[in-house]
Amino acid sequence: MGAVRLQETLTVDSTRRRFLQTAAAGLGASVLPQAQAARATTQLTAGVLMQQVRAAGPRTTAWGFNGSVPGPALRFRQGEDAVIRVHNRLPQSTTVHWHGLRVPNAMDGVPQVTQPPIEPKDEFLYGFRCEDAGTYWYHPHQSSFEQVPRGLYGAFIVQEAKPLPVDREVVWVISDFKLDGRNQQVEDFGRVVDFGSGGRLGNTIAINGKAAGAHQRLQVRPNERVRLRLVNASSARLFLLDFAGHEPWVVSYDGQSVEPHPLREPLLMGGGQRTDLVIDGTAGRGEFAIMDKRDKGTRLATIAYAGKAVRARPLGKPAAIQPNRHVEPNLTTATQHFIVFEGGVLGMPAIAAIDGKKLDVKTIMEHHGLSWTMNYTAQHEHAMMHEPLFRFRKDEHAVIRMINRTDFEHPMHLHGHFFQVVAVDGRAVPQRIWRDTVVMAPRQEMDIAFVAENVGEWMFHCHILDHSAGGMMGTIGVE
Ligand code: C2O
Ligand code: CU
């Protein structure tokens, strides 16, 4: 069925979808620089599996990479070429997107926009140079509102040329599952009510694919230095992380170095975001709760001390990680753009075009189940995206004012680029950091600035995956 739909799309839109020629030329190899020989190809197989998610009771049927949820943490050195063959053993077509990595457009893993979907039993070769160090992750971009919560995600780590000195490194991919009494996933993906509200939330938060709770232990020795790489791989859930008895150092957001600073307030992480923390075993003994402070509060894990002191004294402020290459946007010459978000169960889009067709609000709500608009239009499938929201010249400096006229938070993600939040509700932000995903608060206005340096058509969407499926996705073009 996927194949049929793809064909239709291509006849409708074959001039714009340049990936056809690229695909024919044999991907991967054509985009990899020749100079550096790539190491052996990484094999990544998406398939159905069984996993003990909850500590008690039967195993859960899930979808995952290489037989587990999360999939393997892929590790490369900065500057190294990644060559990854993705095999599809799912009952649906899929793709893999390398969230946060500045890859060539044809390697970005967006069905219909950058590549044809990988049909069941088929495979696709991805290849790109890992220019940017940091913590990233990978997940499908095909039916992501279903494929991600079923378990298709994993960490993607690019080691700095000069790694931060730590005693140990821990990766936590945090997500949630919606499980029934027999520990099986509730098969209610794609409900209109989830598209229009906070998204489909699970009832079981998981760390590295195992149910969170006091029993999840982060073992630390006195004065030990641990680097904790956090990835929020949830399809809808935001976390507000609190580390009792400790003030971890924040060393990067979305893989991009920041001046190390102690975490004095709970850490908000929207879907798709990453944070690297350095935790020093300063408390020396005892057990401390790691909590998610959202809603009523959930115990996620325990920092548990054990063993002999690693050193006599804690290490103190860590050095900053060497930043990746970034071009500072020039705000005085930058072009200005606006994007208005409307919709959701508590709001209504003023007027909307859906997949290119103008429709009145009543029809939209009654027949389409689409709940969100971006600049008064909704595009609910990659195949239907005929026009980018914005077009930029290569190397154009740009500011986009994102106007959230909804009562919901939206973690907004731009592909292929990093941006800085330069103003919130019209007030300049003095401390500018680089991100690829930022949480817009309800009714907030947020200005993001970036340099459109990566040629191609790039997704710009909400990372509550039910929202993007419900209309909150579009593209920007850089040419
Ligand atoms: Cu994490 Cu468009 O994706
Ligand atoms: Cu959203």
Side-chain angles (χ1 to χ4, degrees), residues 96-101 134-140 148 152-157 173-174 231-235 270-274 413 436-437 463 465:
V96 178
H97 167 58
W98 319 96
H99 182 125
L101 287 157
T135 304
Y136 304 94
W137 66 299
Y138 59 94
H139 64 81
V148 172
L152 288 161
Y153 42 79
F156 192 113
I157 291 162
V173 177
I174 312 178
V231 179
N232 182 358
S234 307
S235 54
Q273 292 189 313
R274 291 88 61 211
H413 172 44
D436 57 55
T437 309
H463 222 289
L465 300 172

PDB file of all heavy atoms in Angstrom, residues 96-101 134-140 148 152-157 173-174 231-235 270-274 413 436-437 463 465:
ATOM      1  N   VAL A  96      14.618   6.544   8.940  1.00  0.00           N
ATOM      2  CA  VAL A  96      15.293   6.949  10.183  1.00  0.00           C
ATOM      3  C   VAL A  96      15.824   8.366  10.021  1.00  0.00           C
ATOM      4  O   VAL A  96      16.530   8.682   9.057  1.00  0.00           O
ATOM      5  CB  VAL A  96      16.421   5.984  10.577  1.00  0.00           C
ATOM      6  CG1 VAL A  96      17.120   6.477  11.850  1.00  0.00           C
ATOM      7  CG2 VAL A  96      15.870   4.581  10.815  1.00  0.00           C
ATOM      8  N   HIS A  97      15.457   9.197  10.997  1.00  0.00           N
ATOM      9  CA  HIS A  97      15.925  10.581  11.063  1.00  0.00           C
ATOM     10  C   HIS A  97      16.956  10.697  12.179  1.00  0.00           C
ATOM     11  O   HIS A  97      16.778  10.120  13.250  1.00  0.00           O
ATOM     12  CB  HIS A  97      14.723  11.504  11.332  1.00  0.00           C
ATOM     13  CG  HIS A  97      15.108  12.893  11.723  1.00  0.00           C
ATOM     14  ND1 HIS A  97      15.891  13.691  10.908  1.00  0.00           N
ATOM     15  CD2 HIS A  97      14.842  13.640  12.835  1.00  0.00           C
ATOM     16  CE1 HIS A  97      16.070  14.865  11.520  1.00  0.00           C
ATOM     17  NE2 HIS A  97      15.466  14.858  12.677  1.00  0.00           N
ATOM     18  N   TRP A  98      18.042  11.427  11.922  1.00  0.00           N
ATOM     19  CA  TRP A  98      19.149  11.583  12.876  1.00  0.00           C
ATOM     20  C   TRP A  98      18.953  12.929  13.543  1.00  0.00           C
ATOM     21  O   TRP A  98      19.486  13.933  13.085  1.00  0.00           O
ATOM     22  CB  TRP A  98      20.480  11.444  12.134  1.00  0.00           C
ATOM     23  CG  TRP A  98      20.396  10.325  11.135  1.00  0.00           C
ATOM     24  CD1 TRP A  98      20.111  10.444   9.806  1.00  0.00           C
ATOM     25  CD2 TRP A  98      20.498   8.918  11.400  1.00  0.00           C
ATOM     26  NE1 TRP A  98      20.043   9.196   9.236  1.00  0.00           N
ATOM     27  CE2 TRP A  98      20.288   8.234  10.193  1.00  0.00           C
ATOM     28  CE3 TRP A  98      20.762   8.170  12.559  1.00  0.00           C
ATOM     29  CZ2 TRP A  98      20.302   6.841  10.102  1.00  0.00           C
ATOM     30  CZ3 TRP A  98      20.795   6.784  12.470  1.00  0.00           C
ATOM     31  CH2 TRP A  98      20.567   6.139  11.250  1.00  0.00           C
ATOM     32  N   HIS A  99      18.167  12.928  14.599  1.00  0.00           N
ATOM     33  CA  HIS A  99      17.680  14.176  15.195  1.00  0.00           C
ATOM     34  C   HIS A  99      18.826  15.041  15.728  1.00  0.00           C
ATOM     35  O   HIS A  99      19.552  14.638  16.621  1.00  0.00           O
ATOM     36  CB  HIS A  99      16.686  13.837  16.322  1.00  0.00           C
ATOM     37  CG  HIS A  99      16.093  15.036  16.983  1.00  0.00           C
ATOM     38  ND1 HIS A  99      14.728  15.249  17.084  1.00  0.00           N
ATOM     39  CD2 HIS A  99      16.663  16.104  17.579  1.00  0.00           C
ATOM     40  CE1 HIS A  99      14.503  16.379  17.717  1.00  0.00           C
ATOM     41  NE2 HIS A  99      15.663  16.919  18.035  1.00  0.00           N
ATOM     42  N   GLY A 100      18.934  16.243  15.167  1.00  0.00           N
ATOM     43  CA  GLY A 100      19.926  17.217  15.616  1.00  0.00           C
ATOM     44  C   GLY A 100      21.181  17.257  14.773  1.00  0.00           C
ATOM     45  O   GLY A 100      21.871  18.274  14.750  1.00  0.00           O
ATOM     46  N   LEU A 101      21.486  16.178  14.083  1.00  0.00           N
ATOM     47  CA  LEU A 101      22.726  16.149  13.304  1.00  0.00           C
ATOM     48  C   LEU A 101      22.554  16.946  12.014  1.00  0.00           C
ATOM     49  O   LEU A 101      21.542  16.828  11.326  1.00  0.00           O
ATOM     50  CB  LEU A 101      23.109  14.705  12.991  1.00  0.00           C
ATOM     51  CG  LEU A 101      23.651  13.949  14.213  1.00  0.00           C
ATOM     52  CD1 LEU A 101      23.501  12.453  14.036  1.00  0.00           C
ATOM     53  CD2 LEU A 101      25.118  14.297  14.451  1.00  0.00           C
ATOM     54  N   GLY A 134      28.398  15.701  20.354  1.00  0.00           N
ATOM     55  CA  GLY A 134      27.277  15.892  21.276  1.00  0.00           C
ATOM     56  C   GLY A 134      26.346  14.706  21.340  1.00  0.00           C
ATOM     57  O   GLY A 134      26.579  13.665  20.728  1.00  0.00           O
ATOM     58  N   THR A 135      25.277  14.917  22.103  1.00  0.00           N
ATOM     59  CA  THR A 135      24.274  13.882  22.312  1.00  0.00           C
ATOM     60  C   THR A 135      23.105  14.126  21.360  1.00  0.00           C
ATOM     61  O   THR A 135      22.477  15.181  21.406  1.00  0.00           O
ATOM     62  CB  THR A 135      23.776  13.906  23.777  1.00  0.00           C
ATOM     63  OG1 THR A 135      24.905  13.775  24.644  1.00  0.00           O
ATOM     64  CG2 THR A 135      22.785  12.784  24.046  1.00  0.00           C
ATOM     65  N   TYR A 136      22.841  13.151  20.507  1.00  0.00           N
ATOM     66  CA  TYR A 136      21.746  13.232  19.538  1.00  0.00           C
ATOM     67  C   TYR A 136      20.905  11.967  19.668  1.00  0.00           C
ATOM     68  O   TYR A 136      21.137  11.164  20.583  1.00  0.00           O
ATOM     69  CB  TYR A 136      22.307  13.375  18.119  1.00  0.00           C
ATOM     70  CG  TYR A 136      23.224  14.576  18.007  1.00  0.00           C
ATOM     71  CD1 TYR A 136      24.611  14.447  18.174  1.00  0.00           C
ATOM     72  CD2 TYR A 136      22.707  15.842  17.816  1.00  0.00           C
ATOM     73  CE1 TYR A 136      25.445  15.557  18.134  1.00  0.00           C
ATOM     74  CE2 TYR A 136      23.532  16.958  17.768  1.00  0.00           C
ATOM     75  CZ  TYR A 136      24.895  16.800  17.936  1.00  0.00           C
ATOM     76  OH  TYR A 136      25.705  17.907  17.902  1.00  0.00           O
ATOM     77  N   TRP A 137      19.954  11.774  18.771  1.00  0.00           N
ATOM     78  CA  TRP A 137      19.216  10.507  18.806  1.00  0.00           C
ATOM     79  C   TRP A 137      18.615  10.224  17.453  1.00  0.00           C
ATOM     80  O   TRP A 137      18.659  11.085  16.564  1.00  0.00           O
ATOM     81  CB  TRP A 137      18.189  10.499  19.937  1.00  0.00           C
ATOM     82  CG  TRP A 137      17.036  11.472  19.830  1.00  0.00           C
ATOM     83  CD1 TRP A 137      17.113  12.832  19.784  1.00  0.00           C
ATOM     84  CD2 TRP A 137      15.640  11.140  19.806  1.00  0.00           C
ATOM     85  NE1 TRP A 137      15.838  13.372  19.731  1.00  0.00           N
ATOM     86  CE2 TRP A 137      14.922  12.354  19.738  1.00  0.00           C
ATOM     87  CE3 TRP A 137      14.920   9.946  19.828  1.00  0.00           C
ATOM     88  CZ2 TRP A 137      13.532  12.409  19.704  1.00  0.00           C
ATOM     89  CZ3 TRP A 137      13.533   9.995  19.793  1.00  0.00           C
ATOM     90  CH2 TRP A 137      12.856  11.218  19.727  1.00  0.00           C
ATOM     91  N   TYR A 138      18.138   9.019  17.283  1.00  0.00           N
ATOM     92  CA  TYR A 138      17.560   8.635  15.989  1.00  0.00           C
ATOM     93  C   TYR A 138      16.184   8.034  16.207  1.00  0.00           C
ATOM     94  O   TYR A 138      15.910   7.419  17.243  1.00  0.00           O
ATOM     95  CB  TYR A 138      18.486   7.672  15.239  1.00  0.00           C
ATOM     96  CG  TYR A 138      18.816   6.369  15.954  1.00  0.00           C
ATOM     97  CD1 TYR A 138      18.067   5.214  15.720  1.00  0.00           C
ATOM     98  CD2 TYR A 138      19.876   6.293  16.847  1.00  0.00           C
ATOM     99  CE1 TYR A 138      18.382   4.017  16.362  1.00  0.00           C
ATOM    100  CE2 TYR A 138      20.194   5.103  17.490  1.00  0.00           C
ATOM    101  CZ  TYR A 138      19.439   3.974  17.249  1.00  0.00           C
ATOM    102  OH  TYR A 138      19.743   2.793  17.884  1.00  0.00           O
ATOM    103  N   HIS A 139      15.320   8.231  15.232  1.00  0.00           N
ATOM    104  CA  HIS A 139      13.952   7.704  15.312  1.00  0.00           C
ATOM    105  C   HIS A 139      13.318   7.785  13.936  1.00  0.00           C
ATOM    106  O   HIS A 139      13.775   8.566  13.097  1.00  0.00           O
ATOM    107  CB  HIS A 139      13.135   8.493  16.351  1.00  0.00           C
ATOM    108  CG  HIS A 139      12.934   9.950  15.999  1.00  0.00           C
ATOM    109  ND1 HIS A 139      11.964  10.383  15.112  1.00  0.00           N
ATOM    110  CD2 HIS A 139      13.580  11.070  16.395  1.00  0.00           C
ATOM    111  CE1 HIS A 139      12.020  11.699  15.012  1.00  0.00           C
ATOM    112  NE2 HIS A 139      13.003  12.150  15.763  1.00  0.00           N
ATOM    113  N   PRO A 140      12.268   7.014  13.667  1.00  0.00           N
ATOM    114  CA  PRO A 140      11.613   7.103  12.358  1.00  0.00           C
ATOM    115  C   PRO A 140      10.903   8.445  12.186  1.00  0.00           C
ATOM    116  O   PRO A 140      10.515   9.079  13.173  1.00  0.00           O
ATOM    117  CB  PRO A 140      10.566   5.980  12.391  1.00  0.00           C
ATOM    118  CG  PRO A 140      10.926   5.119  13.547  1.00  0.00           C
ATOM    119  CD  PRO A 140      11.642   6.002  14.517  1.00  0.00           C
ATOM    120  N   VAL A 148       7.348   5.857  17.067  1.00  0.00           N
ATOM    121  CA  VAL A 148       8.197   6.242  18.203  1.00  0.00           C
ATOM    122  C   VAL A 148       7.643   5.675  19.517  1.00  0.00           C
ATOM    123  O   VAL A 148       8.368   4.983  20.227  1.00  0.00           O
ATOM    124  CB  VAL A 148       8.414   7.768  18.244  1.00  0.00           C
ATOM    125  CG1 VAL A 148       9.121   8.191  19.527  1.00  0.00           C
ATOM    126  CG2 VAL A 148       9.223   8.211  17.021  1.00  0.00           C
ATOM    127  N   LEU A 152      10.678   2.741  18.763  1.00  0.00           N
ATOM    128  CA  LEU A 152      11.743   2.928  17.772  1.00  0.00           C
ATOM    129  C   LEU A 152      12.521   4.222  18.031  1.00  0.00           C
ATOM    130  O   LEU A 152      12.151   5.295  17.549  1.00  0.00           O
ATOM    131  CB  LEU A 152      11.151   2.914  16.364  1.00  0.00           C
ATOM    132  CG  LEU A 152      10.682   1.526  15.883  1.00  0.00           C
ATOM    133  CD1 LEU A 152       9.713   1.652  14.722  1.00  0.00           C
ATOM    134  CD2 LEU A 152      11.873   0.657  15.480  1.00  0.00           C
ATOM    135  N   TYR A 153      13.584   4.112  18.810  1.00  0.00           N
ATOM    136  CA  TYR A 153      14.464   5.247  19.072  1.00  0.00           C
ATOM    137  C   TYR A 153      15.741   4.748  19.732  1.00  0.00           C
ATOM    138  O   TYR A 153      15.785   3.653  20.280  1.00  0.00           O
ATOM    139  CB  TYR A 153      13.793   6.297  19.970  1.00  0.00           C
ATOM    140  CG  TYR A 153      13.003   5.724  21.129  1.00  0.00           C
ATOM    141  CD1 TYR A 153      13.631   5.287  22.287  1.00  0.00           C
ATOM    142  CD2 TYR A 153      11.617   5.597  21.047  1.00  0.00           C
ATOM    143  CE1 TYR A 153      12.911   4.755  23.345  1.00  0.00           C
ATOM    144  CE2 TYR A 153      10.885   5.057  22.105  1.00  0.00           C
ATOM    145  CZ  TYR A 153      11.543   4.635  23.250  1.00  0.00           C
ATOM    146  OH  TYR A 153      10.831   4.093  24.286  1.00  0.00           O
ATOM    147  N   GLY A 154      16.770   5.578  19.641  1.00  0.00           N
ATOM    148  CA  GLY A 154      18.037   5.247  20.290  1.00  0.00           C
ATOM    149  C   GLY A 154      18.908   6.483  20.350  1.00  0.00           C
ATOM    150  O   GLY A 154      18.672   7.460  19.640  1.00  0.00           O
ATOM    151  N   ALA A 155      19.923   6.436  21.207  1.00  0.00           N
ATOM    152  CA  ALA A 155      20.843   7.567  21.347  1.00  0.00           C
ATOM    153  C   ALA A 155      21.892   7.514  20.240  1.00  0.00           C
ATOM    154  O   ALA A 155      22.266   6.440  19.769  1.00  0.00           O
ATOM    155  CB  ALA A 155      21.521   7.529  22.710  1.00  0.00           C
ATOM    156  N   PHE A 156      22.335   8.687  19.817  1.00  0.00           N
ATOM    157  CA  PHE A 156      23.389   8.815  18.809  1.00  0.00           C
ATOM    158  C   PHE A 156      24.423   9.760  19.407  1.00  0.00           C
ATOM    159  O   PHE A 156      24.139  10.938  19.624  1.00  0.00           O
ATOM    160  CB  PHE A 156      22.795   9.382  17.517  1.00  0.00           C
ATOM    161  CG  PHE A 156      23.711   9.293  16.326  1.00  0.00           C
ATOM    162  CD1 PHE A 156      23.395   8.456  15.265  1.00  0.00           C
ATOM    163  CD2 PHE A 156      24.894  10.051  16.254  1.00  0.00           C
ATOM    164  CE1 PHE A 156      24.230   8.376  14.147  1.00  0.00           C
ATOM    165  CE2 PHE A 156      25.725   9.963  15.141  1.00  0.00           C
ATOM    166  CZ  PHE A 156      25.390   9.123  14.082  1.00  0.00           C
ATOM    167  N   ILE A 157      25.593   9.236  19.695  1.00  0.00           N
ATOM    168  CA  ILE A 157      26.580  10.020  20.440  1.00  0.00           C
ATOM    169  C   ILE A 157      27.810  10.274  19.580  1.00  0.00           C
ATOM    170  O   ILE A 157      28.387   9.346  19.009  1.00  0.00           O
ATOM    171  CB  ILE A 157      26.954   9.291  21.744  1.00  0.00           C
ATOM    172  CG1 ILE A 157      25.723   9.326  22.671  1.00  0.00           C
ATOM    173  CG2 ILE A 157      28.159   9.921  22.410  1.00  0.00           C
ATOM    174  CD1 ILE A 157      25.748   8.333  23.762  1.00  0.00           C
ATOM    175  N   VAL A 173      17.982   7.199  27.964  1.00  0.00           N
ATOM    176  CA  VAL A 173      16.931   7.530  27.007  1.00  0.00           C
ATOM    177  C   VAL A 173      15.614   7.402  27.773  1.00  0.00           C
ATOM    178  O   VAL A 173      15.257   6.311  28.225  1.00  0.00           O
ATOM    179  CB  VAL A 173      16.974   6.581  25.799  1.00  0.00           C
ATOM    180  CG1 VAL A 173      15.837   6.891  24.839  1.00  0.00           C
ATOM    181  CG2 VAL A 173      18.327   6.682  25.090  1.00  0.00           C
ATOM    182  N   ILE A 174      14.941   8.530  27.978  1.00  0.00           N
ATOM    183  CA  ILE A 174      13.727   8.545  28.789  1.00  0.00           C
ATOM    184  C   ILE A 174      12.508   8.612  27.866  1.00  0.00           C
ATOM    185  O   ILE A 174      12.484   9.391  26.909  1.00  0.00           O
ATOM    186  CB  ILE A 174      13.720   9.741  29.774  1.00  0.00           C
ATOM    187  CG1 ILE A 174      15.064   9.807  30.514  1.00  0.00           C
ATOM    188  CG2 ILE A 174      12.582   9.611  30.775  1.00  0.00           C
ATOM    189  CD1 ILE A 174      15.164  10.978  31.467  1.00  0.00           C
ATOM    190  N   VAL A 231      18.229  11.952  27.047  1.00  0.00           N
ATOM    191  CA  VAL A 231      17.472  12.120  25.805  1.00  0.00           C
ATOM    192  C   VAL A 231      15.997  11.957  26.146  1.00  0.00           C
ATOM    193  O   VAL A 231      15.622  10.949  26.751  1.00  0.00           O
ATOM    194  CB  VAL A 231      17.844  11.038  24.764  1.00  0.00           C
ATOM    195  CG1 VAL A 231      17.027  11.205  23.484  1.00  0.00           C
ATOM    196  CG2 VAL A 231      19.335  11.023  24.471  1.00  0.00           C
ATOM    197  N   ASN A 232      15.156  12.923  25.807  1.00  0.00           N
ATOM    198  CA  ASN A 232      13.715  12.717  25.949  1.00  0.00           C
ATOM    199  C   ASN A 232      13.168  12.179  24.629  1.00  0.00           C
ATOM    200  O   ASN A 232      12.962  12.916  23.676  1.00  0.00           O
ATOM    201  CB  ASN A 232      12.993  13.999  26.336  1.00  0.00           C
ATOM    202  CG  ASN A 232      11.498  13.754  26.529  1.00  0.00           C
ATOM    203  OD1 ASN A 232      11.010  12.625  26.334  1.00  0.00           O
ATOM    204  ND2 ASN A 232      10.760  14.793  26.906  1.00  0.00           N
ATOM    205  N   ALA A 233      12.944  10.862  24.602  1.00  0.00           N
ATOM    206  CA  ALA A 233      12.464  10.188  23.391  1.00  0.00           C
ATOM    207  C   ALA A 233      10.960   9.954  23.430  1.00  0.00           C
ATOM    208  O   ALA A 233      10.429   9.216  22.596  1.00  0.00           O
ATOM    209  CB  ALA A 233      13.196   8.860  23.218  1.00  0.00           C
ATOM    210  N   SER A 234      10.274  10.587  24.385  1.00  0.00           N
ATOM    211  CA  SER A 234       8.820  10.395  24.483  1.00  0.00           C
ATOM    212  C   SER A 234       8.131  10.994  23.277  1.00  0.00           C
ATOM    213  O   SER A 234       8.566  12.009  22.744  1.00  0.00           O
ATOM    214  CB  SER A 234       8.274  11.109  25.719  1.00  0.00           C
ATOM    215  OG  SER A 234       8.990  10.711  26.848  1.00  0.00           O
ATOM    216  N   SER A 235       7.014  10.400  22.894  1.00  0.00           N
ATOM    217  CA  SER A 235       6.295  10.952  21.754  1.00  0.00           C
ATOM    218  C   SER A 235       5.499  12.199  22.143  1.00  0.00           C
ATOM    219  O   SER A 235       5.179  13.002  21.284  1.00  0.00           O
ATOM    220  CB  SER A 235       5.372   9.899  21.147  1.00  0.00           C
ATOM    221  OG  SER A 235       4.523   9.364  22.131  1.00  0.00           O
ATOM    222  N   GLY A 270      11.492  18.879  26.813  1.00  0.00           N
ATOM    223  CA  GLY A 270      10.421  18.520  25.894  1.00  0.00           C
ATOM    224  C   GLY A 270      10.865  17.380  24.999  1.00  0.00           C
ATOM    225  O   GLY A 270      12.059  17.058  24.928  1.00  0.00           O
ATOM    226  N   GLY A 271       9.908  16.801  24.308  1.00  0.00           N
ATOM    227  CA  GLY A 271      10.213  15.693  23.403  1.00  0.00           C
ATOM    228  C   GLY A 271      11.275  16.097  22.403  1.00  0.00           C
ATOM    229  O   GLY A 271      11.198  17.170  21.804  1.00  0.00           O
ATOM    230  N   GLY A 272      12.280  15.265  22.232  1.00  0.00           N
ATOM    231  CA  GLY A 272      13.340  15.514  21.273  1.00  0.00           C
ATOM    232  C   GLY A 272      14.549  16.196  21.874  1.00  0.00           C
ATOM    233  O   GLY A 272      15.637  16.156  21.304  1.00  0.00           O
ATOM    234  N   GLN A 273      14.390  16.838  23.040  1.00  0.00           N
ATOM    235  CA  GLN A 273      15.511  17.589  23.612  1.00  0.00           C
ATOM    236  C   GLN A 273      16.502  16.676  24.331  1.00  0.00           C
ATOM    237  O   GLN A 273      16.139  15.612  24.817  1.00  0.00           O
ATOM    238  CB  GLN A 273      14.993  18.646  24.592  1.00  0.00           C
ATOM    239  CG  GLN A 273      14.222  19.755  23.899  1.00  0.00           C
ATOM    240  CD  GLN A 273      13.902  20.908  24.840  1.00  0.00           C
ATOM    241  OE1 GLN A 273      13.439  20.698  25.954  1.00  0.00           O
ATOM    242  NE2 GLN A 273      14.155  22.126  24.390  1.00  0.00           N
ATOM    243  N   ARG A 274      17.742  17.123  24.386  1.00  0.00           N
ATOM    244  CA  ARG A 274      18.778  16.420  25.157  1.00  0.00           C
ATOM    245  C   ARG A 274      19.451  17.399  26.109  1.00  0.00           C
ATOM    246  O   ARG A 274      19.509  18.601  25.826  1.00  0.00           O
ATOM    247  CB  ARG A 274      19.868  15.820  24.248  1.00  0.00           C
ATOM    248  CG  ARG A 274      19.397  14.657  23.401  1.00  0.00           C
ATOM    249  CD  ARG A 274      18.808  15.083  22.098  1.00  0.00           C
ATOM    250  NE  ARG A 274      19.752  15.807  21.271  1.00  0.00           N
ATOM    251  CZ  ARG A 274      19.426  16.752  20.412  1.00  0.00           C
ATOM    252  NH1 ARG A 274      18.175  17.090  20.212  1.00  0.00           N
ATOM    253  NH2 ARG A 274      20.361  17.383  19.705  1.00  0.00           N
ATOM    254  N   HIS A 413      10.883  21.884  16.690  1.00  0.00           N
ATOM    255  CA  HIS A 413      12.154  21.327  16.208  1.00  0.00           C
ATOM    256  C   HIS A 413      12.390  21.713  14.757  1.00  0.00           C
ATOM    257  O   HIS A 413      11.500  21.582  13.930  1.00  0.00           O
ATOM    258  CB  HIS A 413      12.113  19.794  16.352  1.00  0.00           C
ATOM    259  CG  HIS A 413      13.272  19.084  15.729  1.00  0.00           C
ATOM    260  ND1 HIS A 413      14.574  19.510  15.876  1.00  0.00           N
ATOM    261  CD2 HIS A 413      13.342  17.953  14.983  1.00  0.00           C
ATOM    262  CE1 HIS A 413      15.382  18.681  15.227  1.00  0.00           C
ATOM    263  NE2 HIS A 413      14.662  17.725  14.669  1.00  0.00           N
ATOM    264  N   ASP A 436      18.298  22.677  18.880  1.00  0.00           N
ATOM    265  CA  ASP A 436      17.531  22.273  17.701  1.00  0.00           C
ATOM    266  C   ASP A 436      16.065  22.074  18.037  1.00  0.00           C
ATOM    267  O   ASP A 436      15.245  21.862  17.139  1.00  0.00           O
ATOM    268  CB  ASP A 436      18.126  21.021  17.040  1.00  0.00           C
ATOM    269  CG  ASP A 436      18.232  19.835  17.986  1.00  0.00           C
ATOM    270  OD1 ASP A 436      17.201  19.450  18.570  1.00  0.00           O
ATOM    271  OD2 ASP A 436      19.338  19.273  18.126  1.00  0.00           O
ATOM    272  N   THR A 437      15.737  22.114  19.334  1.00  0.00           N
ATOM    273  CA  THR A 437      14.354  21.936  19.771  1.00  0.00           C
ATOM    274  C   THR A 437      14.127  22.843  20.966  1.00  0.00           C
ATOM    275  O   THR A 437      14.940  22.860  21.895  1.00  0.00           O
ATOM    276  CB  THR A 437      14.097  20.460  20.191  1.00  0.00           C
ATOM    277  OG1 THR A 437      14.543  19.584  19.146  1.00  0.00           O
ATOM    278  CG2 THR A 437      12.617  20.201  20.465  1.00  0.00           C
ATOM    279  N   HIS A 463       7.454  18.635  18.274  1.00  0.00           N
ATOM    280  CA  HIS A 463       7.925  17.288  18.600  1.00  0.00           C
ATOM    281  C   HIS A 463       7.001  16.552  19.558  1.00  0.00           C
ATOM    282  O   HIS A 463       7.340  15.480  20.070  1.00  0.00           O
ATOM    283  CB  HIS A 463       9.364  17.297  19.105  1.00  0.00           C
ATOM    284  CG  HIS A 463      10.177  16.180  18.530  1.00  0.00           C
ATOM    285  ND1 HIS A 463       9.979  14.860  18.895  1.00  0.00           N
ATOM    286  CD2 HIS A 463      11.145  16.170  17.581  1.00  0.00           C
ATOM    287  CE1 HIS A 463      10.821  14.098  18.209  1.00  0.00           C
ATOM    288  NE2 HIS A 463      11.528  14.867  17.399  1.00  0.00           N
ATOM    289  N   LEU A 465       4.482  14.332  18.921  1.00  0.00           N
ATOM    290  CA  LEU A 465       4.337  13.729  17.595  1.00  0.00           C
ATOM    291  C   LEU A 465       2.878  13.623  17.174  1.00  0.00           C
ATOM    292  O   LEU A 465       2.579  13.561  15.986  1.00  0.00           O
ATOM    293  CB  LEU A 465       5.062  12.388  17.567  1.00  0.00           C
ATOM    294  CG  LEU A 465       6.568  12.561  17.870  1.00  0.00           C
ATOM    295  CD1 LEU A 465       7.249  11.210  18.046  1.00  0.00           C
ATOM    296  CD2 LEU A 465       7.267  13.383  16.795  1.00  0.00           C
TER     297      LEU A 465
END
